[in-house]
Amino acid sequence: GGIAAYKIVDLASALTEAGCEVRVAMTPSAMRFVGPPTFAGVTGRPVLSGMWSADASPEPHVFLGDWAQLILVAPATANVIGRIASGRSDDIVTATLLAARSPVVVAPAMNDAMWAKAAVQENVTVLRKRGITIVEPESGHLASGHEGAGRLAGSAALLDAMVHAARSRYDLAGRRVVVTAGGTREPIDPVRFISNYSSGKMGFALAAAAADRGARVTLVTTANHPQHHGIAVQRVDTAEEMQAELRSQLRGADLLLMAAAVGDFRPAHLADRKIRREETPSLSLELAPIPDLVASLASDPELDGVFRVGFAAEDSELDAKAVE
Ligand SMILES: Cc1cc2nc3c(=O)[nH]c(=O)nc-3n(C[C@H](O)[C@H](O)[C@H](O)COP(=O)(O)O)c2cc1C
């Protein structure tokens, strides 16, 4: 909460007009400078002004931290900068920052003597070291009547910093990425299958990394792990199901990461009832080859626009087989 809060009304309005979804969270002091209805009016969304309001979500800071793709703290007072540096979370702004998963831009604004104090400068250094972008205040005439450094940076500088922070985090924005994960399962009978040791963790990690970088991600997987925010998951079992799912998902995709371990063989015959121990003194499984999914996708001219990356687990002569 500082006098420069009124300038953020214009910025919030311009961002909303430009098509951004904007939500405003205010400290109690900020609300003394600008009324929440002003921000609600220009953004078209309710303002979050506290942690305990009955009509907001049960954990408004977690909601905002999950939702935001970029957070701007402006005007950042000496007080809020100190509270962010010390990890406080006793109001909606600082709690949201702790719950944030997005890049954060902080734009300080204060009296020149406040800005010059070692305490403030040391707190700003802490924020920078933690990866927060600081938009330095400008020099000029201050609301307090003094001349010096402390004026909130202009809207162009704030926007520039926001664009830069967003571009460096979300360098896959607008891209469609398809990832496969896990070992395929080929049924023997209705209750058994053959598979391999693939855990699916590599595919899940790749999908999460692509989503964090702003891609629209579809994960075609046989494995179950906790799902990362914002990934569309398609569950499959067999190599054939994986292939069919990939065919439909790959239309319009930019990148395919094939981290799944697709089986090379499947039972030639599927028993339609459980093979019972009592009726089966010994059992030989006849296996039939599964067409090479990675090879068929790698050589498919219809997928020319899709950059395709294949994975293979080998147990010997790793370099030679990788080159091959
Ligand atoms: C009229 C007035 C103007 C203020 N302007 C600023 C300012 O520009 N920058 C600043 O750091 N503090 C300013 N303050 C002090 C803050 O409002 C105060 O430190 C408050 O506790 C900040 O709370 P917040 O960081 O939770 O918003 C001002 C106080 C008043 C009364």
Side-chain angles (χ1 to χ4, degrees):
I3 289 172
Y6 77 91
K7 298 181 181 171
I8 303 304
V9 176
D10 250 357
L11 182 65
S13 169
L15 286 169
T16 308
E17 257 182 52
C20 301
E21 291 177 31
V22 181
R23 287 180 193 266
V24 177
M26 302 179 82
T27 63
S29 317
M31 287 186 285
R32 291 179 170 262
F33 293 93
V34 180
T38 309
F39 278 118
V42 298
T43 63
R45 288 167 189 273
V47 168
L48 287 105
S49 56
M51 311 265 289
W52 311 104
S53 89
D55 50 345
S57 78
E59 293 181 89
H61 56 299
V62 175
F63 163 74
L64 268 189
D66 275 347
W67 174 84
Q69 292 179 304
L70 183 77
I71 298 179
L72 171 69
V73 184
T77 59
N79 181 52
V80 87
I81 289 169
R83 293 184 323 108
I84 299 168
S86 59
R88 297 278 291 274
S89 62
D90 48 5
D91 71 309
I92 184 71
V93 170
T94 50
T96 297
L97 288 169
L98 278 190
R101 297 169 193 277
S102 68
V104 174
V105 176
V106 167
M110 64 197 74
N111 167 270
D112 57 327
M114 293 170 81
W115 177 243
K117 285 290 180 295
V120 173
Q121 289 303 316
E122 282 168 20
N123 285 333
V124 167
T125 304
V126 167
L127 266 47
R128 265 206 194 94
K129 272 196 198 137
R130 292 182 189 153
I132 290 177
T133 302
I134 304 290
V135 191
E136 292 272 337
E138 294 171 356
S139 288
H141 180 77
L142 303 173
S144 56
H146 301 86
E147 293 283 329
R151 249 163 72 143
L152 181 68
S155 298
L158 299 186
L159 275 175
D160 237 32
M162 291 164 77
V163 167
H164 187 266
R167 285 221 175 109
S168 46
R169 168 71 71 88
Y170 306 117
D171 60 342
L172 293 181
R175 302 286 187 183
R176 273 246 307 128
V177 176
V178 179
V179 183
T180 67
T184 51
R185 299 163 157 205
E186 303 297 338
I188 298 168
D189 68 13
V191 298
R192 303 185 180 94
F193 59 83
I194 58 170
S195 188
N196 54 62
Y197 283 120
S198 168
S199 68
K201 286 182 185 168
M202 169 67 88
F204 272 71
L206 289 169
D212 283 345
R213 288 169 60 175
R216 266 200 300 142
V217 182
T218 302
L219 181 61
V220 180
T221 176
T222 63
N224 279 319
H225 292 293
Q227 278 176 32
H228 187 277
H229 197 65
I231 295 177
V233 175
Q234 299 294 337
R235 279 264 325 153
V236 294
D237 278 315
T238 65
E240 204 176 358
E241 287 169 9
M242 184 169 279
Q243 171 145 26
E245 190 60 48
L246 282 178
R247 287 269 162 227
S248 74
Q249 294 294 341
L250 282 173
R251 248 173 270 130
D254 298 289
L255 173 63
L256 168 63
L257 302 171
M258 293 180 278
V262 182
D264 292 330
F265 298 95
R266 66 177 155 224
H269 310 287
L270 168 61
D272 55 4
R273 292 178 49 220
K274 180 183 170 187
I275 300 169
R276 295 180 61 81
R277 182 206 300 263
E278 297 78 1
E279 297 159 5
T280 318
S282 77
L283 179 65
S284 299
L285 283 180
E286 186 190 343
L287 300 180
I290 295 175
D292 186 340
L293 176 61
V294 173
S296 88
L297 294 173
S299 59
D300 186 339
E302 277 187 26
L303 299 179
D304 272 354
V306 187
F307 192 92
R308 287 150 282 173
V309 180
F311 285 68
E314 297 290 353
D315 59 356
S316 59
E317 299 160 54
L318 305 185
D319 290 347
K321 283 180 180 155
V323 170
E324 183 189 318

